[in-house]
Amino acid sequence: VVWCGAAEPILGSLGQDPRLLSIAAELLGADEFDQLINQAHFKFPGDQVSFDWHQDSRHRRYGTELWTDVDGKGSFVELFTAVNEVTLENGPVKFIPGSHKLGHIPQVPGTNQLPPGCFDPNDAVAITMQPGDVVAFGPFVVHGSDPNHSTGPRRTFLNGFSLVGANHRIY
């Protein structure tokens, strides 16, 4: 659910909770930044929702006139909050350690896929979380997730922040 805070104001307030904002400020190295993302991601048993390997730099339109990397590190941070327990069975986010060092990886032309061989999926680390846990990562980290194979839901709350001047897209 994109911009879930517009439909449910409490979610908009939670997306600007001082605890989240302090993490974003520290990682971005700035006191002022823009909120670009306020989303709820739900995975229910049997719904087959998965996310292929990707970098969030693609979603920010990195490398186009819609994005300026003002700090040379991607100028964006994503905060991924567990609403309920995230287990190995319910489709946790998997990260490729060290992939941020690769910078922005252009996709295979005409696809949404990263080029074969640019990382090893066998290196992936699945992140389990308790409700309220937060994982923060930058736009160059390669990540994805499998479907929920459990009997319960996996609900998460995502908030993304960019440095002022990085985003030129109207959300």
Side-chain angles (χ1 to χ4, degrees), residues 4 27 44 48 50 59 62 83 89 91 95 97-98 103 106 108 116 124 131 135 138 141 159-160:
C4 56
L27 294 175
F44 295 105
Q48 298 304 305
S50 65
H59 300 301
Y62 193 90
V83 174
E89 294 77 34
F95 295 97
V108 174
V135 172
V141 175
N159 289 277

mmCIF file of all heavy atoms in Angstrom, residues 4 27 44 48 50 59 62 83 89 91 95 97-98 103 106 108 116 124 131 135 138 141 159-160:
data_model
loop_
_atom_site.group_PDB
_atom_site.id
_atom_site.type_symbol
_atom_site.label_atom_id
_atom_site.label_comp_id
_atom_site.label_asym_id
_atom_site.label_seq_id
_atom_site.Cartn_x
_atom_site.Cartn_y
_atom_site.Cartn_z
ATOM 1 N N CYS A 4 0.422 4.822 2.543
ATOM 2 C CA CYS A 4 -0.638 4.343 3.427
ATOM 3 C C CYS A 4 -1.018 5.398 4.461
ATOM 4 O O CYS A 4 -2.144 5.418 4.940
ATOM 5 C CB CYS A 4 -0.227 3.043 4.096
ATOM 6 S SG CYS A 4 1.326 3.129 5.017
ATOM 7 N N LEU A 27 22.044 8.299 9.372
ATOM 8 C CA LEU A 27 22.564 7.605 8.192
ATOM 9 C C LEU A 27 22.755 8.545 7.002
ATOM 10 O O LEU A 27 23.687 8.356 6.207
ATOM 11 C CB LEU A 27 21.660 6.436 7.823
ATOM 12 C CG LEU A 27 21.627 5.313 8.856
ATOM 13 C CD1 LEU A 27 20.624 4.261 8.473
ATOM 14 C CD2 LEU A 27 23.019 4.709 9.033
ATOM 15 N N PHE A 44 0.655 -12.484 2.672
ATOM 16 C CA PHE A 44 -0.249 -13.424 3.316
ATOM 17 C C PHE A 44 0.051 -14.838 2.840
ATOM 18 O O PHE A 44 0.563 -15.020 1.723
ATOM 19 C CB PHE A 44 -1.704 -13.044 3.022
ATOM 20 C CG PHE A 44 -2.080 -11.712 3.623
ATOM 21 C CD1 PHE A 44 -2.217 -10.588 2.829
ATOM 22 C CD2 PHE A 44 -2.260 -11.584 4.985
ATOM 23 C CE1 PHE A 44 -2.537 -9.362 3.381
ATOM 24 C CE2 PHE A 44 -2.579 -10.353 5.557
ATOM 25 C CZ PHE A 44 -2.733 -9.248 4.743
ATOM 26 N N GLN A 48 1.748 -15.693 -2.812
ATOM 27 C CA GLN A 48 2.877 -15.753 -3.750
ATOM 28 C C GLN A 48 3.576 -14.413 -3.989
ATOM 29 O O GLN A 48 4.266 -14.241 -4.987
ATOM 30 C CB GLN A 48 2.440 -16.371 -5.085
ATOM 31 C CG GLN A 48 1.960 -17.804 -4.982
ATOM 32 C CD GLN A 48 3.015 -18.708 -4.347
ATOM 33 O OE1 GLN A 48 4.144 -18.771 -4.801
ATOM 34 N NE2 GLN A 48 2.650 -19.392 -3.272
ATOM 35 N N SER A 50 6.377 -11.945 -3.876
ATOM 36 C CA SER A 50 7.828 -11.979 -3.696
ATOM 37 C C SER A 50 8.398 -10.737 -4.365
ATOM 38 O O SER A 50 7.719 -10.065 -5.144
ATOM 39 C CB SER A 50 8.425 -13.249 -4.296
ATOM 40 O OG SER A 50 8.244 -13.262 -5.698
ATOM 41 N N HIS A 59 14.360 2.334 -8.162
ATOM 42 C CA HIS A 59 13.065 2.967 -7.873
ATOM 43 C C HIS A 59 13.174 4.475 -7.701
ATOM 44 O O HIS A 59 12.210 5.199 -7.892
ATOM 45 C CB HIS A 59 12.439 2.357 -6.619
ATOM 46 C CG HIS A 59 12.199 0.893 -6.736
ATOM 47 N ND1 HIS A 59 11.409 0.329 -7.708
ATOM 48 C CD2 HIS A 59 12.678 -0.138 -6.000
ATOM 49 C CE1 HIS A 59 11.383 -0.979 -7.573
ATOM 50 N NE2 HIS A 59 12.150 -1.290 -6.541
ATOM 51 N N TYR A 62 17.674 6.474 -10.242
ATOM 52 C CA TYR A 62 19.089 6.792 -10.227
ATOM 53 C C TYR A 62 19.628 6.777 -11.662
ATOM 54 O O TYR A 62 19.299 5.915 -12.454
ATOM 55 C CB TYR A 62 19.842 5.760 -9.379
ATOM 56 C CG TYR A 62 21.257 6.161 -9.049
ATOM 57 C CD1 TYR A 62 21.538 6.875 -7.902
ATOM 58 C CD2 TYR A 62 22.307 5.827 -9.891
ATOM 59 C CE1 TYR A 62 22.831 7.249 -7.587
ATOM 60 C CE2 TYR A 62 23.604 6.197 -9.593
ATOM 61 C CZ TYR A 62 23.864 6.905 -8.437
ATOM 62 O OH TYR A 62 25.145 7.282 -8.140
ATOM 63 N N VAL A 83 6.033 -5.222 11.589
ATOM 64 C CA VAL A 83 4.768 -5.031 12.302
ATOM 65 C C VAL A 83 4.457 -6.278 13.113
ATOM 66 O O VAL A 83 4.038 -6.210 14.257
ATOM 67 C CB VAL A 83 3.616 -4.693 11.330
ATOM 68 C CG1 VAL A 83 2.281 -4.634 12.050
ATOM 69 C CG2 VAL A 83 3.911 -3.385 10.606
ATOM 70 N N GLU A 89 10.282 -18.419 7.348
ATOM 71 C CA GLU A 89 9.222 -19.041 6.562
ATOM 72 C C GLU A 89 8.254 -18.035 5.920
ATOM 73 O O GLU A 89 7.562 -18.358 4.969
ATOM 74 C CB GLU A 89 8.408 -20.010 7.436
ATOM 75 C CG GLU A 89 9.188 -21.220 7.910
ATOM 76 C CD GLU A 89 10.142 -20.898 9.060
ATOM 77 O OE1 GLU A 89 9.816 -20.036 9.903
ATOM 78 O OE2 GLU A 89 11.227 -21.498 9.094
ATOM 79 N N GLY A 91 8.695 -15.105 4.333
ATOM 80 C CA GLY A 91 9.147 -14.190 3.283
ATOM 81 C C GLY A 91 9.989 -13.032 3.763
ATOM 82 O O GLY A 91 9.746 -11.883 3.386
ATOM 83 N N PHE A 95 19.356 -9.955 2.103
ATOM 84 C CA PHE A 95 20.331 -8.962 1.655
ATOM 85 C C PHE A 95 21.597 -9.656 1.168
ATOM 86 O O PHE A 95 21.980 -10.704 1.704
ATOM 87 C CB PHE A 95 20.696 -8.024 2.809
ATOM 88 C CG PHE A 95 19.554 -7.176 3.289
ATOM 89 C CD1 PHE A 95 18.804 -7.558 4.390
ATOM 90 C CD2 PHE A 95 19.227 -5.999 2.640
ATOM 91 C CE1 PHE A 95 17.742 -6.777 4.833
ATOM 92 C CE2 PHE A 95 18.173 -5.203 3.083
ATOM 93 C CZ PHE A 95 17.440 -5.597 4.177
ATOM 94 N N PRO A 97 25.330 -9.245 1.422
ATOM 95 C CA PRO A 97 26.333 -8.467 2.157
ATOM 96 C C PRO A 97 27.379 -7.864 1.221
ATOM 97 O O PRO A 97 27.845 -8.515 0.280
ATOM 98 C CB PRO A 97 26.972 -9.511 3.088
ATOM 99 C CG PRO A 97 25.938 -10.585 3.223
ATOM 100 C CD PRO A 97 25.237 -10.627 1.893
ATOM 101 N N GLY A 98 27.728 -6.615 1.480
ATOM 102 C CA GLY A 98 28.758 -5.929 0.707
ATOM 103 C C GLY A 98 28.318 -5.418 -0.650
ATOM 104 O O GLY A 98 29.096 -4.755 -1.342
ATOM 105 N N GLY A 103 27.881 0.039 -5.973
ATOM 106 C CA GLY A 103 27.199 1.222 -6.487
ATOM 107 C C GLY A 103 25.938 0.814 -7.231
ATOM 108 O O GLY A 103 25.439 -0.300 -7.085
ATOM 109 N N PRO A 106 23.234 -1.021 -13.332
ATOM 110 C CA PRO A 106 22.191 -0.898 -14.356
ATOM 111 C C PRO A 106 21.545 -2.254 -14.636
ATOM 112 O O PRO A 106 22.216 -3.286 -14.640
ATOM 113 C CB PRO A 106 22.943 -0.381 -15.584
ATOM 114 C CG PRO A 106 24.183 0.253 -15.031
ATOM 115 C CD PRO A 106 24.531 -0.563 -13.810
ATOM 116 N N VAL A 108 19.501 -5.208 -16.789
ATOM 117 C CA VAL A 108 19.572 -5.750 -18.135
ATOM 118 C C VAL A 108 18.549 -4.977 -18.970
ATOM 119 O O VAL A 108 17.384 -4.862 -18.567
ATOM 120 C CB VAL A 108 19.257 -7.262 -18.137
ATOM 121 C CG1 VAL A 108 19.184 -7.804 -19.552
ATOM 122 C CG2 VAL A 108 20.268 -8.023 -17.288
ATOM 123 N N PRO A 116 23.153 -11.065 -14.693
ATOM 124 C CA PRO A 116 23.659 -12.300 -14.099
ATOM 125 C C PRO A 116 25.142 -12.152 -13.749
ATOM 126 O O PRO A 116 25.907 -11.528 -14.478
ATOM 127 C CB PRO A 116 23.482 -13.344 -15.206
ATOM 128 C CG PRO A 116 22.510 -12.737 -16.175
ATOM 129 C CD PRO A 116 22.639 -11.251 -16.044
ATOM 130 N N ALA A 124 23.286 -14.577 0.155
ATOM 131 C CA ALA A 124 22.167 -13.853 0.776
ATOM 132 C C ALA A 124 22.015 -14.196 2.254
ATOM 133 O O ALA A 124 22.199 -15.341 2.674
ATOM 134 C CB ALA A 124 20.867 -14.168 0.051
ATOM 135 N N PRO A 131 8.400 -7.804 16.175
ATOM 136 C CA PRO A 131 7.616 -6.583 15.978
ATOM 137 C C PRO A 131 8.321 -5.363 16.557
ATOM 138 O O PRO A 131 8.829 -5.402 17.687
ATOM 139 C CB PRO A 131 6.313 -6.879 16.728
ATOM 140 C CG PRO A 131 6.198 -8.371 16.700
ATOM 141 C CD PRO A 131 7.621 -8.873 16.811
ATOM 142 N N VAL A 135 15.203 -2.371 10.254
ATOM 143 C CA VAL A 135 16.408 -2.585 9.457
ATOM 144 C C VAL A 135 16.532 -1.373 8.547
ATOM 145 O O VAL A 135 15.566 -0.965 7.904
ATOM 146 C CB VAL A 135 16.309 -3.875 8.615
ATOM 147 C CG1 VAL A 135 17.484 -3.982 7.650
ATOM 148 C CG2 VAL A 135 16.242 -5.100 9.500
ATOM 149 N N GLY A 138 20.802 1.325 2.514
ATOM 150 C CA GLY A 138 20.932 2.329 1.472
ATOM 151 C C GLY A 138 20.445 1.831 0.124
ATOM 152 O O GLY A 138 20.098 0.661 -0.044
ATOM 153 N N VAL A 141 22.135 -1.425 -1.859
ATOM 154 C CA VAL A 141 22.124 -2.768 -1.286
ATOM 155 C C VAL A 141 21.195 -3.661 -2.119
ATOM 156 O O VAL A 141 20.017 -3.347 -2.296
ATOM 157 C CB VAL A 141 21.665 -2.750 0.186
ATOM 158 C CG1 VAL A 141 21.545 -4.165 0.738
ATOM 159 C CG2 VAL A 141 22.623 -1.923 1.025
ATOM 160 N N ASN A 159 9.560 3.136 5.242
ATOM 161 C CA ASN A 159 9.663 4.585 5.114
ATOM 162 C C ASN A 159 11.023 4.898 4.513
ATOM 163 O O ASN A 159 12.041 4.369 4.965
ATOM 164 C CB ASN A 159 9.493 5.258 6.475
ATOM 165 C CG ASN A 159 8.063 5.162 6.951
ATOM 166 O OD1 ASN A 159 7.221 5.968 6.560
ATOM 167 N ND2 ASN A 159 7.758 4.159 7.758
ATOM 168 N N GLY A 160 11.020 5.718 3.471
ATOM 169 C CA GLY A 160 12.257 6.058 2.792
ATOM 170 C C GLY A 160 12.477 7.561 2.783
ATOM 171 O O GLY A 160 11.529 8.336 2.614
#
